[in-house]
Amino acid sequence: MQVLLLLAGLGFCWGQYNPNVQAGTTSIVHLFEWRWADIALECERYLAPYGFGGVQVSPPNENIIVTDPFRPWWERYQPISYKLCTRSGDENEFRDMVTRCNNVGVHIYVDAVVNHMCGSGGGSGTHSTCGSYFNAGERDFPAVPYSGWDFNDGKCQTASGEIENYGDMYQVRDCRLTGLLDLALEKDYVRSTVAEYMNRLIDIGVAGFRIDAAKHMWPGDIKAFLDQLKDLNTEWFSAGTRPFIYQEVIDLGGEPITGSDYFENGRVTEFKYGGQTGDGDPQVGWRKDGLLSVRMKMLRLMHWGALGSPVDRSPGFSFHSDLLGLQVKDRSYGSWFMLAHPYGFTRVMSSFLLTFSFELQDVNDWVGPPSESDGSTKAVTINEDTTCGNDWVCEHRWRQIRNMVVFRNVVDGEPFSNWWDNDSNQVAFGRGSKGFIVFNNDDWDMNVDLQTGLPAGTYCDVISGDKEDNRCTGSQVYVSEDGLANFQISSQAEDPFMAIHVNAKL
Ligand code: QV4
Ligand code: CA
């Protein structure tokens, strides 16, 4: 209620809650660990033509180089300075990417890691992506500069200096998260240094920020640096536009810190999504063989939709589980549902292949992006069939996901409507008079007549194919004058789903 009042008070100005995507687009894609040069090309050749509104990029600032294990993806969450210099590229390449993506209407969202610097065991030297000297033991980061005064060592009350208990909100904010040197964001100097870094990115033309580890910062400290941020660059955004803010707060319940503690600062990423669709375990994904039927999972999601709180819905499962090839399909079903449902602002994950360790019978989930032996990141190559090469997975280029991103754009603003279910794992719903989606996650075939709410005509199912030259490359659906259509989906179908929308009508 508080939240709704707050939004009402803002009137037409959405402020930091507005995703700042170009009109007609409704989703962004996380191009995890991609090089800036490849993102610039992807904006021009793929994202703009298919209606993606933006890209979340990996942290652009200098980080520690970790060699054991060799160059894990997570080294990027250990800042050394705010120079724009990483495996993704240097400052010139970053500027070029932002300019070129903005010029085709695809906006850039930066992952801001400002709760901490590198781990306390990071050593000293110049093993950083721009070669800046640092000494973790001494708390010395001269390339910022930060020194011992700028860290929370004195404020943290645990014996180890680490977060030991998530039930104590003081240690969650003031102590080290897995050894990461915790910045004293109560200090004006630290706040203004962080704001200066973010303002440089705003000047270059970024549209917003993901705030990493927001749970580990006091909401008031975050507000203090956000209040110092400039409006967006008027070369691409209208005067007075505030940067879009979405904060990473993993709130699965049971802790004193909740996502809503952060709503005043901006949106909060929705981790319950993965949980609600995956039997409470955010790692499990979208399964019909868990404790809950797909129907129940969807009904739970609908309940949230009704809450209407300003949260960002993103697939809550961690990206690495996605790459495994494990239940990729389960996860992609979850994405389709997410993209069809009106709730939240959506972010699609795009990843790279991980190696499977037969010794551990597990996936090496630390593995960094496809790289050469010297650690440099490999380019994203594009195959003749439009998929990606060099071990880049490019889920956002899968027809089903790409077409559901389009579906979401087409049905934008239409109400959730015409819900149907068989009391088990077959469900369907529409979006006003613009789109309709049907899922068969049962072990038996589906053959039903459903009210779609759509105008009469022949539609292409955008899951099994596309509309090309006024014909369907996949299945067709016939909607009669009364809005009814017959859906037959085999439980053996490769993708036991169908989706139709008014832009894919013959
Ligand atoms: C190790 C030991 C510590 C020791 C420390 C000493 O485990 O006990 O004190 O060395 O230096 C890596 C390693 C971790 C290591 C640490 C420091 O995995 O073992 O500590 O570095 O060297 C990512 C990874 C982390 C990684 C971190 C920094 O997930 O594994 O840690 O980057 O490289 C909570 C939070 C939530 C957070 C999540 C991971 O509430 O906010 O934990 N999620 C975000 C990001 C995540 C990122 C961070 C926060 C940190 O989504 O990707 O962590 O920026 O749920
Ligand atoms: Ca902190």
Side-chain angles (χ1 to χ4, degrees), residues 114-116 152 163 170-177 180-185 213-218 221:
V114 297
N115 169 66
H116 52 263
N152 273 334
I163 298 168
Y170 291 91
Q171 50 178 284
V172 173
R173 270 67 175 259
D174 300 336
C175 297
R176 293 193 296 260
L177 166 64
L180 300 163
L181 297 176
D182 204 55
L183 285 167
L185 280 157
K215 184 193 280 181
H216 304 279
M217 296 181 273
W218 293 95
D221 287 347

Side-chain angles (χ1 to χ4, degrees), residues 1-7 251 260 263 270 272-273 276 298-313 341-344 416:
M1 205 52 206
Q2 235 173 336
V3 161
L4 292 176
L5 289 177
L6 180 68
L7 281 175
D251 175 2
S260 59
F263 283 171
E270 183 55 86
K272 288 194 187 100
Y273 180 73
Q276 296 285 336
M298 290 188 181
L299 287 173
R300 283 208 208 170
L301 284 169
M302 291 200 323
H303 172 64
W304 288 357
L307 298 176
S309 49
V311 294
D312 164 56
R313 170 181 287 177
H341 194 281
Y343 180 76
F416 184 88

Side-chain angles (χ1 to χ4, degrees), residues 32 64 66 72-79 111 113 115-122 162-163 166 172 176-180 210 212-216 248-250 255 271 319-320:
F32 186 71
I64 195 170
V66 173
W73 61 267
W74 46 255
E75 68 171 40
R76 296 189 73 159
Y77 291 87
Q78 300 197 33
D111 197 346
V113 184
N115 169 66
H116 52 263
M117 299 298 278
C118 70
S120 60
E162 303 284 319
I163 298 168
Y166 274 77
V172 173
R176 293 193 296 260
L177 166 64
T178 65
L180 300 163
R210 167 190 185 263
D212 178 72
K215 184 193 280 181
H216 304 279
E248 183 226 16
V249 182
I250 304 180
E255 289 176 28
F271 278 84
F319 72 89
H320 39 80

Side-chain angles (χ1 to χ4, degrees), residues 118-374:
C118 70
S120 60
S124 73
T126 54
H127 48 294
S128 48
T129 50
C130 224
S132 297
Y133 171 83
F134 66 98
N135 185 331
E138 303 278 319
R139 314 293 191 251
D140 191 21
F141 296 87
V144 179
Y146 284 140
S147 68
W149 302 106
D150 303 316
F151 292 89
N152 273 334
D153 295 282
K155 202 178 179 194
C156 167
Q157 298 288 311
T158 63
S160 63
E162 303 284 319
I163 298 168
E164 296 171 358
N165 172 11
Y166 274 77
D168 172 355
M169 64 166 78
Y170 291 91
Q171 50 178 284
V172 173
R173 270 67 175 259
D174 300 336
C175 297
R176 293 193 296 260
L177 166 64
T178 65
L180 300 163
L181 297 176
D182 204 55
L183 285 167
L185 280 157
E186 66 183 0
K187 287 190 59 183
D188 284 339
Y189 173 72
V190 177
R191 291 172 174 181
S192 59
T193 303
V194 164
E196 197 184 295
Y197 161 55
M198 295 171 79
N199 277 331
R200 264 197 291 135
L201 296 165
I202 288 173
D203 284 341
I204 291 172
V206 308
F209 300 93
R210 167 190 185 263
I211 310 292
D212 178 72
K215 184 193 280 181
H216 304 279
M217 296 181 273
W218 293 95
D221 287 347
I222 295 179
K223 184 176 188 309
F225 66 73
L226 293 181
D227 281 348
Q228 295 179 48
L229 297 188
K230 301 179 174 183
D231 293 339
L232 298 188
N233 187 324
T234 52
E235 195 173 334
W236 297 288
F237 303 92
S238 47
T241 306
R242 296 301 294 157
F244 178 44
I245 300 297
Y246 53 112
Q247 304 159 97
E248 183 226 16
V249 182
I250 304 180
D251 175 2
L252 298 170
E255 289 176 28
I257 300 172
T258 66
S260 59
D261 298 343
Y262 292 82
F263 283 171
E264 195 192 340
N265 292 332
R267 300 204 195 197
V268 171
T269 51
E270 183 55 86
F271 278 84
K272 288 194 187 100
Y273 180 73
Q276 296 285 336
T277 55
D279 300 341
D281 178 352
Q283 305 290 324
V284 172
W286 186 269
R287 289 180 179 178
K288 65 179 167 191
D289 55 355
L291 296 171
L292 289 172
S293 67
V294 169
R295 169 179 181 268
M296 273 312 295
K297 292 171 185 174
M298 290 188 181
L299 287 173
R300 283 208 208 170
L301 284 169
M302 291 200 323
H303 172 64
W304 288 357
L307 298 176
S309 49
V311 294
D312 164 56
R313 170 181 287 177
S314 53
F317 42 80
S318 69
F319 72 89
H320 39 80
S321 323
D322 266 305
L323 325 177
L324 319 182
L326 285 177
Q327 305 141 18
V328 159
K329 240 172 150 185
D330 275 352
R331 289 165 200 289
S332 119
Y333 296 168
S335 304
W336 305 348
F337 181 86
M338 168 186 88
L339 289 164
H341 194 281
Y343 180 76
F345 181 71
T346 45
R347 177 183 61 191
V348 170
M349 178 73 206
S350 190
S351 60
F352 49 79
L353 277 179
L354 291 183
T355 50
F356 186 86
S357 155
F358 287 96
E359 200 184 324
L360 298 169
Q361 279 297 296
D362 202 358
V363 150
N364 291 320
D365 63 4
W366 54 266
V367 172
S371 57
E372 308 291 351
S373 53
D374 67 358

